[in-house]
Amino acid sequence: MTDDSDESLADRVTVLERQVSALESELRPLVNHDLPLVIGAVRALVDEDISELNGLPAAARRSAQHRRALREDVNELSNRVAALGDIGTGRTSKEEKFAAVLAFAFNKRGDGSKVTVTPEEIRGCTGVSRRYAYELVEAMGESVTGCRVRESEVVQTAKGSRRKSKALLVDCEVVQHESVDVSEFTTGGDE
């Protein structure tokens, strides 16, 4: 019985050795060619110089976060462009001025959504007279959703008083989401 079981064990070891050799043959191209190719591709995608394989997952996560942030920025810019429309299409002069003022407000805004646009700034971005700039403040305050007029007032400060001139208050979030009103001024009407 010992000889039979030794032969049986030797036969199984021989079969296992052949299987291991066959697996090595199959894995050799993967290890020598395919795996370095995949690692190189991942390194190129994540745009980082990674020296060890265990650094790839973290680099891939950072790259994915960066792509998401870029995608959000692109979406925000696309929404702004859509809200402002194509300035070159047939509008009346007043509608072009509205579009220019709204574009100025969107560009001026920082982290908040509300922006104050003074008549002097309207003159600068539209090229109109001082009087017409004040008329645009009134007209936009009455007809553009998300815009309102801040009347001229005297404000008390630590050093005395200061005059705040009339201005247009623009809530960029409201203007951006009111596509019908923005469309009217940036595309020349309901299209």
Side-chain angles (χ1 to χ4, degrees):
M1 224 188 206
T2 314
D3 288 338
D4 286 339
S5 60
D6 285 340
E7 278 182 36
S8 168
L9 186 57
D11 290 339
R12 283 197 278 168
V13 167
T14 303
V15 169
L16 285 174
E17 285 175 344
R18 276 190 231 132
Q19 288 176 340
V20 167
S21 180
L23 278 173
E24 284 177 343
S25 300
E26 288 180 33
L27 290 175
R28 192 166 292 122
L30 175 68
V31 171
N32 292 338
H33 180 265
D34 295 344
L35 190 57
L37 185 64
V38 169
I39 292 170
V42 171
R43 284 181 180 155
L45 285 173
V46 298
D47 196 26
E48 289 187 30
D49 187 25
I50 302 160
S51 57
E52 295 183 16
L53 288 176
N54 59 1
L56 287 175
R61 279 191 295 277
R62 284 190 299 273
S63 179
Q65 290 170 343
H66 182 67
R67 282 192 316 276
R68 273 193 295 278
L70 287 174
R71 195 175 303 118
E72 289 172 5
D73 289 347
V74 167
N75 287 339
E76 180 182 336
L77 287 173
S78 295
N79 289 340
R80 287 175 63 185
V81 167
L84 296 175
D86 180 16
I87 291 188
T89 58
R91 297 180 197 95
T92 68
S93 178
K94 188 174 187 178
E95 290 166 342
E96 284 181 341
K97 305 295 189 254
F98 279 21
V101 171
L102 291 175
F104 178 83
F106 273 83
N107 287 330
K108 183 179 177 182
R109 96 175 179 182
D111 292 333
S113 71
K114 296 182 180 168
V115 178
T116 302
V117 182
T118 65
E120 291 78 22
E121 291 171 325
I122 291 174
R123 286 182 65 200
C125 71
T126 61
V128 299
S129 69
R130 180 175 177 266
R131 183 175 143 214
Y132 193 62
Y134 279 95
E135 289 176 16
L136 284 174
V137 168
E138 289 291 332
M140 290 183 74
E142 292 173 4
S143 59
V144 178
T145 303
C147 295
R148 66 182 178 88
V149 177
R150 178 188 74 196
E151 295 296 334
S152 177
E153 62 184 349
V154 176
V155 179
Q156 294 298 324
T157 66
K159 296 181 180 180
S161 62
R162 181 174 68 94
R163 180 181 159 96
K164 276 184 152 180
S165 66
K166 179 181 263 190
L168 182 67
L169 302 176
V170 181
D171 188 338
C172 295
E173 293 294 323
V174 173
V175 171
Q176 183 173 339
H177 290 100
E178 291 294 326
S179 60
V180 173
D181 289 337
V182 174
S183 167
E184 180 181 335
F185 299 114
T186 60
T187 63
D190 293 333
E191 294 180 15

